[in-house]
Amino acid sequence: MTLRQALLRDRLAVCSLLFLLLVLLAALLAPWLAPHDPLAPDVQNKFAAWSADHWLGTDHLGRDVFSRLLYGARRTLGFALLTTALTLLAGILPGLLAGVLRGRTEALLLRLCDILLSFPAEVLILAVTGMLGAGPEKAALACLIAKWPWYARMMCGIARQYADTNAVRFARVMGHGLPHILRRHILPQVAGETLVLATLHTGSFILTLSALSFLGLGVQPPAPEWGAMLGEAKNALLRDPWLMLPPGAAILLVVAACNYLGDCLHDALEGRCGDEGKAVFS
Amino acid sequence: MTRHVFATLTLFFTLIALAACRNDATSADAASPQELRYAATKDIRDINPHLYTGEMAAQAMLFEPLVSNTPEGIRPCLAESWDISDDGRIYTFHLRRDVRFSDGEAFNAAAVKQNMDAILANRQRHAWMDLIRKIERDEIVDEFTYRLYLRTPYYPTLIELGALRPFRFISPRCLVNGQSKDGVRGYAGTGPWLLTEHKERQYALFTVNPLYRGEKPRIPAVRWIVMPDHQSIALALQKGDIHLVFGSDGDMLQQETFEALRRAGKHITLLSPPIASRALLLNSRQPFTKERGVRQALQYAVNRRAIVEGILDATESPALTLMASTVPYCNVPLETRDYDPARAAALLDAAGWPAGPDGLRRKDGRAARIRLYYNADNAQERSISEYIQADFKKIGVDLRIIGEETQAFRDRQRSGDFEVQYARSWGAPYDPQSYLSSWRIPAHGDYQAQAGLDCKPWLDQTVTAIMAETDEARRRAMYAEVLSRMHEEAVYLPLSYSRTRAVHVKHLHGVSFDMSQYVIPFEKMFFATGD
């Protein structure tokens, strides 16, 4: 059974995937879909209720919440995907190299990872943003610093596992160089596990950026971002409690979809590779 | 598995629904509680009356001045009466004879002198207040007569003696080697309250001072509860855990919360008369804002009425001049610059900043990009900033807004590394004299923003001269000259005149506002059932 077949069998996984694709599409088409300018204040019309003109009402400055949600999706998802991609790059390459080369390179990398992993990720992220200052680029860098050791360590383990297989030994005997071995024999093996971890981490990056923006350390006003919108809504908790619903629900649903998709991929993969796959995640 | 998820979710939402059904009425609603519970975002900290680390409202509960500032003018407090010499340099105070500090120590001329000496030993720290530099010496005339000698005449002497800090009196027994600058032993004052218990960052308990000479407060105790989060304060008030919230600006109570409570009608919401000025500083030393034409143009770009009515729900009044005309000496006719984006654009064109194809204005390759810093704790300033950002965008000026921690914000005032920053005057009784005096101190954002003006030396000299001017008419003319010149230079972009807000439970009575926005008149409050 291939990965795709296993995935398609789980209806909720398909729903999650479709939902994520839909949100991604909405984010890409935001300038055409948004009924209003997400930045234009209209204070005469603040805290408007849900209506045909303002589907999800307006915020404390009278800005259209639905439009802000769409533009916010661009920032939130774009940030999460970009950070995931960068973290993958930063983690996979050194991890694979260390796993294949072994020896001192591996020891050095693993000890560095141990040091970084000994801090809880949240503490590390807050410390880095505290030092660098507020802003989404800095939040991304902080996430990268906190999360790359996960990938490096995992990749190192997998690579070591496959480096001893007959296929790789044979390739060595055939005189193929390291790049060829990595590309042809190791990378395809780790692709599945990477995909699972990347899906799960995309969700956690969304949460991290939202939390940082909520605290005022991430995206700066007036740029719409889900966490920042939630933070703004919190200030009007008594005046208009419903304002927290759209950004809160958006974060909840997208992160839940990412997590569920990641879990399903994991299960599907496990079914495919049996105990081997399990060892990687336990 | 799916069924489990649904069961859990159903249970979760049922619990939430049940929690929401809880009745609001609880403990603090009891008819005549033994203590008034007041919530603040900040702890009272060290309330040494001669230093600036503590909360002013708490300092004012314990420590009294010689004379007090009231809307009717200067009134006696610890001094019964006073004489001023004809040359305006010698002030003689006749002290009350019936006053004791709460530790039993007698209040007399010796106690006043010991306090004054302790304050004068720390002149550097009080430099923001001009009086400190004017005092030449002081002496005890007899047990209840105290005399102050000034170097030059200084007209706001009595006003500044009545200010919240530092000229307030603590028992000489609390001074450490006659000094207060490195801390004090206990807080024995002459005011209506005693500090009986203080748990740092949790609460402070004030009880009635049994030795207080005047009418004693009717509430036996005030509990100052620290709740760092604005929303927790609002929820505690709704729940009935606290009786009173009191404060200016977005400090204790955000505008949205105040408005929600006012509409709900379960509490009494009060607004003081306009008390201080809220303005933006346009830095005359930074590129773009250093041009007077640009600063004047920006004045026309901001829709103050929309800010005041839309964002602030009309709880403040729009300001077209830095000082309200009701402030002493500030009723000066000035050309008003109300919202007129077309005029703003025209002025920017005239200043040589034409709009580019992307709408952004440029001059010699430099774009019209400026930064506005605000205190991140102040949700109101953030909303206003976002609104102004949109206003500036309309005339092709890109405003970046950056929220900073209180300390970083203050450091930035000191360094002058900003194009735009919030400025607030201190309100009565400090306005206008103490506020204008502070313009001459480099640690203030006002000084930094004015430092690029050609007329800055003249400004500083004139402010100094005003304070020494004994002739009322001439002083008035000099104030008018300074205010007109500053209006012309447009370093200040006035936004509104702010008010102090209070929200309290219905059975608390006697809640009123002091002349100063920093004082909470707890001693006038009392509980009573019915209306």
Side-chain angles (χ1 to χ4, degrees):
Chain A
M1 187 166 61
T2 65
L3 190 64
R4 193 184 303 159
Q5 279 168 333
L7 201 61
L8 285 179
R9 230 175 239 195
D10 190 336
R11 239 183 274 161
L12 208 56
V14 177
C15 285
S16 300
L17 189 64
L18 284 180
F19 175 70
L20 285 178
L21 287 176
L22 194 75
V23 174
L24 212 58
L25 196 70
L28 285 175
L29 299 179
W32 292 276
L33 290 179
H36 294 273
D37 178 351
L39 300 182
D42 173 16
V43 282
Q44 307 303 325
N45 206 4
K46 67 176 179 175
F47 299 120
W50 299 9
S51 66
D53 190 26
H54 297 288
W55 291 0
L56 295 175
T58 60
D59 69 358
H60 65 293
L61 286 175
R63 298 175 296 201
D64 184 55
V65 173
F66 181 65
S67 309
R68 284 179 74 73
L69 210 58
L70 283 179
Y71 276 90
R74 295 186 127 195
R75 217 165 286 264
T76 309
L77 294 183
F79 168 88
L81 292 177
L82 188 75
T83 314
T84 311
L86 289 176
T87 314
L88 279 180
L89 269 181
I92 290 180
L93 270 179
L96 286 184
L97 276 177
V100 175
L101 294 174
R102 313 288 289 266
R104 197 176 285 176
T105 324
E106 188 191 14
L108 207 70
L109 181 88
L110 288 184
R111 292 302 82 75
L112 181 66
C113 290
D114 284 345
I115 294 173
L116 286 172
L117 285 173
S118 64
F119 297 103
E122 287 74 20
V123 173
L124 202 61
I125 289 172
L126 275 181
V128 174
T129 39
M131 275 189 297
L132 297 177
E137 334 72 62
K138 288 149 192 167
L141 188 64
C143 288
L144 180 82
I145 292 174
K147 291 285 167 73
W148 77 267
W150 282 68
Y151 289 92
R153 219 170 189 315
M154 192 188 80
M155 288 306 146
C156 185
I158 301 176
R160 201 161 54 181
Q161 203 178 329
Y162 290 116
D164 278 340
T165 54
N166 287 337
V168 174
R169 284 192 189 145
F170 186 65
R172 280 212 178 119
V173 172
M174 292 290 289
H176 288 304
L178 190 61
H180 175 86
I181 295 177
L182 280 182
R183 201 173 61 236
R184 291 296 297 274
H185 298 285
I186 313 261
L187 266 180
Q189 300 293 340
V190 300
E193 283 89 342
T194 315
L195 189 66
V196 173
L197 209 60
T199 316
L200 290 172
H201 272 165
T202 306
S204 89
F205 284 145
I206 292 178
L207 276 185
T208 308
L209 178 72
S210 300
L212 287 176
S213 300
F214 183 85
L215 295 173
L217 293 169
V219 175
Q220 293 302 300
E225 196 278 331
W226 294 350
M229 286 170 73
L230 203 57
E232 286 163 6
K234 189 205 77 170
N235 288 333
L237 183 66
L238 286 187
R239 179 86 179 259
D240 186 4
W242 292 105
L243 203 51
M244 288 200 281
L245 202 61
I251 295 173
L252 177 80
L253 290 177
V254 169
V255 174
C258 280
N259 284 354
Y260 197 82
L261 194 62
D263 275 350
C264 292
L265 282 172
H266 176 200
D267 290 347
L269 212 62
E270 211 171 72
R272 194 186 58 168
C273 15
D275 292 340
E276 230 173 282
K278 220 178 246 166
V280 173
F281 293 103
S282 50
Chain B
M1 190 204 128
T2 321
R3 192 170 297 168
H4 275 283
V5 173
F6 281 121
T8 320
L9 276 180
T10 316
L11 183 70
F12 178 67
F13 284 113
T14 317
L15 283 177
I16 289 187
L18 279 176
C21 294
R22 207 181 69 95
N23 198 337
D24 278 351
T26 41
S27 55
D29 278 348
S32 191
Q34 284 306 297
E35 60 178 30
L36 186 150
R37 298 167 69 84
Y38 161 78
T41 50
K42 294 190 192 102
D43 186 36
I44 61 166
R45 306 186 295 280
D46 176 13
I47 55 169
N48 180 345
H50 301 164
L51 290 180
Y52 300 88
T53 45
E55 278 298 299
M56 288 195 246
Q59 289 173 317
M61 291 168 80
L62 268 69
F63 306 105
E64 293 180 301
L66 287 176
V67 293
S68 39
N69 289 295
T70 70
E72 293 80 41
I74 305 288
R75 287 287 172 270
C77 188
L78 290 174
E80 244 165 11
S81 61
W82 54 90
D83 313 308
I84 307 171
S85 67
D86 288 339
D87 63 356
R89 285 186 50 236
I90 305 167
Y91 285 71
T92 310
F93 295 93
H94 307 288
L95 308 178
R96 291 179 71 112
R97 290 158 190 261
D98 56 349
V99 183
R100 285 192 167 276
F101 288 102
S102 58
D103 61 355
E105 195 81 350
F107 172 80
N108 51 30
V112 173
K113 176 140 177 42
Q114 276 172 292
N115 269 274
M116 290 302 266
D117 290 346
I119 296 165
L120 293 175
N122 197 12
R123 270 179 208 256
Q124 202 52 45
R125 187 64 194 80
H126 309 299
W128 66 276
M129 189 175 249
D130 238 12
L131 177 58
I132 214 85
R133 276 178 284 194
K134 304 284 179 192
I135 296 176
E136 191 179 57
R137 63 195 171 89
D138 59 343
E139 67 177 23
I140 304 170
V141 180
D142 62 43
E143 197 185 351
F144 292 105
T145 315
Y146 168 81
R147 194 168 284 157
L148 205 57
Y149 294 85
L150 304 185
R151 294 198 171 92
T152 54
Y154 181 63
Y155 96 87
T157 299
L158 290 175
I159 301 176
E160 294 197 347
L161 280 176
L164 275 158
R165 3 191 225 207
F167 299 110
R168 297 215 168 193
F169 300 93
I170 186 167
S171 166
R173 267 199 252 166
C174 296
L175 299 175
V176 181
N177 301 328
Q179 300 298 326
S180 56
K181 62 180 176 200
D182 303 315
V184 286
R185 261 185 242 122
Y187 302 116
T190 57
W193 301 98
L194 294 177
L195 177 62
T196 23
E197 209 185 326
H198 181 204
K199 276 231 164 72
E200 223 172 295
R201 272 174 249 139
Q202 291 181 37
Y203 65 87
L205 183 68
F206 298 90
T207 52
V208 173
N209 174 6
L211 295 180
Y212 184 58
R213 64 181 187 285
E215 195 185 329
K216 296 208 170 61
R218 285 164 70 181
I219 295 174
V222 171
R223 190 177 290 270
W224 178 302
I225 303 164
V226 183
M227 295 188 181
D229 181 61
H230 303 278
Q231 293 307 319
S232 321
I233 293 186
L235 293 175
L237 188 70
Q238 269 204 328
K239 233 174 101 204
D241 286 348
I242 54 171
H243 299 113
L244 172 72
V245 187
F246 196 106
S248 55
D249 202 25
D251 211 18
M252 303 293 168
L253 204 60
Q254 284 162 357
Q255 174 48 37
E256 308 304 355
T257 312
F258 182 82
E259 185 63 16
L261 290 169
R262 191 187 66 76
R263 287 185 188 185
K266 280 188 186 165
H267 294 83
I268 309 238
T269 50
L270 296 175
L271 275 179
S272 77
I275 207 158
S277 305
R278 185 203 292 280
L280 290 179
L281 287 170
L282 306 176
N283 197 335
S284 62
R285 273 214 291 206
Q286 296 286 349
F288 192 57
T289 47
K290 76 177 174 208
E291 296 175 32
R292 192 205 297 177
V294 167
R295 293 196 301 270
Q296 285 177 344
L298 295 181
Q299 307 271 340
Y300 290 103
V302 176
N303 191 348
R304 298 168 183 83
R305 274 168 226 285
I307 291 175
V308 165
E309 278 157 32
I311 300 176
L312 303 171
D313 296 298
T315 53
E316 299 192 357
S317 335
L320 291 169
T321 54
L322 176 61
M323 297 306 223
S325 57
T326 48
V327 175
Y329 302 106
C330 295
N331 193 2
V332 180
L334 296 170
E335 173 215 3
T336 53
R337 305 183 181 118
D338 213 342
Y339 182 53
D340 188 350
R343 178 129 188 220
L347 281 171
L348 282 176
D349 287 338
W353 289 84
D358 54 350
L360 189 64
R361 290 177 184 272
R362 281 191 180 78
K363 182 182 189 176
D364 308 329
R366 184 185 272 281
R369 281 208 176 88
I370 48 180
R371 301 160 296 162
L372 162 62
Y373 290 92
Y374 68 95
N375 189 337
D377 290 338
N378 194 321
Q380 213 146 287
E381 281 182 3
R382 174 173 160 169
S383 303
I384 297 175
S385 308
E386 284 181 272
Y387 190 82
I388 293 176
Q389 188 174 43
D391 269 348
F392 278 10
K393 198 177 163 195
K394 282 184 209 152
I395 57 157
V397 175
D398 179 48
L399 182 73
R400 248 184 80 206
I401 59 179
I402 305 123
E404 283 190 322
E405 294 290 310
T406 310
Q407 195 50 48
F409 181 77
R410 289 206 187 120
D411 289 345
R412 195 169 291 283
Q413 284 186 327
R414 217 164 280 156
S415 66
D417 181 22
F418 60 88
E419 279 89 30
V420 190
Q421 200 181 46
Y422 280 93
R424 291 194 72 206
S425 77
W426 304 335
Y430 301 97
D431 289 348
Q433 75 287 339
S434 307
Y435 183 51
L436 260 65
S437 283
S438 76
W439 289 358
R440 296 169 299 165
I441 300 172
H444 285 245
D446 300 88
Y447 177 96
Q448 295 297 336
Q450 296 163 355
L453 299 180
D454 293 335
C455 67
K456 179 66 177 158
W458 168 86
L459 178 70
D460 288 357
Q461 281 161 17
T462 314
V463 170
T464 310
I466 290 177
M467 303 305 153
E469 182 56 63
T470 45
D471 183 76
E472 175 77 19
R474 245 181 310 185
R475 198 190 300 150
R476 191 169 290 280
M478 287 159 91
Y479 265 121
E481 201 181 350
V482 165
L483 291 172
S484 313
R485 189 69 180 267
M486 289 316 286
H487 190 73
E488 177 63 27
E489 293 290 350
V491 167
Y492 291 91
L493 197 164
L495 292 173
S496 69
Y497 303 125
S498 62
R499 299 164 192 253
T500 311
R501 302 188 188 111
V503 182
H504 60 88
V505 292
K506 283 191 171 160
H507 56 283
L508 181 67
H509 295 255
V511 179
S512 59
F513 298 98
D514 187 82
M515 194 182 177
S516 162
Q517 57 179 331
Y518 305 113
V519 173
I520 308 174
F522 287 112
E523 69 281 356
K524 293 181 186 154
M525 301 178 195
F526 59 94
F527 287 107
T529 42
D531 290 348

